[in-house]
Amino acid sequence: RSDEWVAYQALLEPISKQLDLIIVVADASNLRRNLLYVSQVIDLNKPVIVALTMMDLARKKGIKIDVERLSDELHCPVVTINPRKNKGMDELDRAISGELQKKEPVNKIPFVLKTDLAPEAVDEIKKIFPAISDYTAVHYLIHHESFGFADETQERIENIEKRTDFNHTRVQAKDIQQRYSRIREIMQATVIEPDPEKKRLISERLDNLLLNRTWGYMIML
């Protein structure tokens, strides 16, 4: 989608090193899928705050999230918010202020190590762009034609791809696999979800009641 591509380029353009802070809004009721994007932003090695929304919907689904433990696992602040009811916004403001006041450089533990993807190619790209993260280097290898690099830089990147036998599809597949493996560990440590077997049994009991020859007609009436 075009809006997603604009956000992607804004985060990965060399000018993005000037960003002070990134706030990622994540749906608590669908946390597993949202954590994939969160993990990718974290691996850009910039200050990040995760703002969890839909906590009320998550509770209705029987999902319980240990927010403090989630923050520890992600190595960044996690704040629950409900913009419609103006809840959690003060906590978000304090988290933003706290992150902006930090003096030490960002040094996050990456979700996926470059050694698991394309170490040689990543090292070569970082010789061209010394300030970028390993994950940004991977994306420059994959999508460098989409960024406004000079022709000489484009040629250097293409030569690195050929010399290191960089395979876009293989690297992307391995990246996603590694991320979901780590996300599964985080979910097990921080989230309690309803047992699907228990839900199935409840559904069967309701069916038995609603389809009962006697009680079924009375409930229908």
Side-chain angles (χ1 to χ4, degrees):
R1 286 168 42 185
S2 58
D3 55 340
E4 293 174 346
W5 183 248
V6 169
Y8 174 81
Q9 287 183 306
L11 289 173
L12 289 173
E13 283 281 6
I15 194 174
S16 68
K17 65 184 178 183
Q18 300 173 10
L19 292 174
D20 296 313
L21 179 66
I22 302 171
I23 300 174
V24 184
V25 180
D27 181 354
S29 67
N30 198 0
L31 189 58
R32 189 185 305 273
R33 189 175 69 180
N34 279 240
L35 281 181
L36 175 62
Y37 181 66
V38 169
S39 76
Q40 292 170 322
V41 174
I42 286 174
D43 273 356
L44 299 179
N45 208 31
K46 294 177 173 61
V48 174
I49 294 175
V50 176
L52 280 183
T53 63
M54 304 293 183
M55 286 293 287
D56 50 348
L57 181 58
R59 282 191 289 269
K60 287 180 181 178
K61 290 183 175 182
I63 300 171
K64 298 179 182 178
I65 302 173
D66 185 337
V67 177
E68 186 175 347
R69 179 69 184 276
L70 180 61
S71 177
D72 291 340
E73 293 287 342
L74 296 176
H75 305 286
C76 70
V78 177
V79 181
T80 61
I81 63 171
N82 187 336
R84 288 174 299 148
K85 297 182 179 179
N86 201 32
K87 291 183 178 180
M89 305 311 292
D90 290 340
E91 289 81 357
L92 180 58
D93 286 341
R94 285 194 290 271
I96 292 172
S97 298
E99 288 299 297
L100 293 178
Q101 289 172 10
K102 288 183 179 179
K103 301 300 182 183
E104 67 272 15
V106 178
N107 187 24
K108 295 186 179 298
I109 300 173
F111 261 69
V112 178
L113 299 172
K114 69 175 182 181
T115 52
D116 292 330
L117 295 177
E120 185 181 353
V122 166
D123 286 341
E124 289 294 317
I125 291 294
K126 292 184 74 172
K127 290 178 182 177
I128 305 174
F129 306 97
I132 65 174
S133 69
D134 292 345
Y135 191 55
T136 302
V138 170
H139 279 270
Y140 281 3
L141 284 159
I142 295 172
H143 294 301
H144 61 89
E145 298 92 345
S146 302
F147 294 94
F149 301 142
D151 291 343
E152 181 184 351
T153 302
Q154 297 281 10
E155 187 176 346
R156 289 180 66 184
I157 296 174
E158 288 174 4
N159 287 336
I160 291 171
E161 289 182 272
K162 294 176 183 176
R163 190 166 62 252
T164 62
D165 192 26
F166 182 83
N167 185 295
H168 295 199
T169 304
R170 184 172 62 239
V171 169
Q172 285 179 300
K174 195 170 184 179
D175 176 58
I176 296 299
Q177 182 182 21
Q178 295 278 352
R179 287 183 188 281
Y180 272 123
S181 177
R182 175 68 183 125
I183 287 169
R184 185 164 54 251
E185 294 173 358
I186 292 174
M187 291 288 292
Q188 290 173 350
T190 64
V191 180
I192 299 175
E193 297 180 285
D195 185 353
E197 180 64 19
K198 184 177 179 181
K199 289 176 67 176
R200 186 184 67 80
L201 290 174
I202 292 173
S203 177
E204 286 181 356
R205 288 172 184 172
L206 284 173
D207 286 344
N208 291 336
L209 176 63
L210 296 174
L211 299 176
N212 182 275
R213 289 186 176 182
T214 303
W215 293 106
Y217 286 111
M218 295 181 66
I219 291 171
M220 183 178 68
L221 291 173

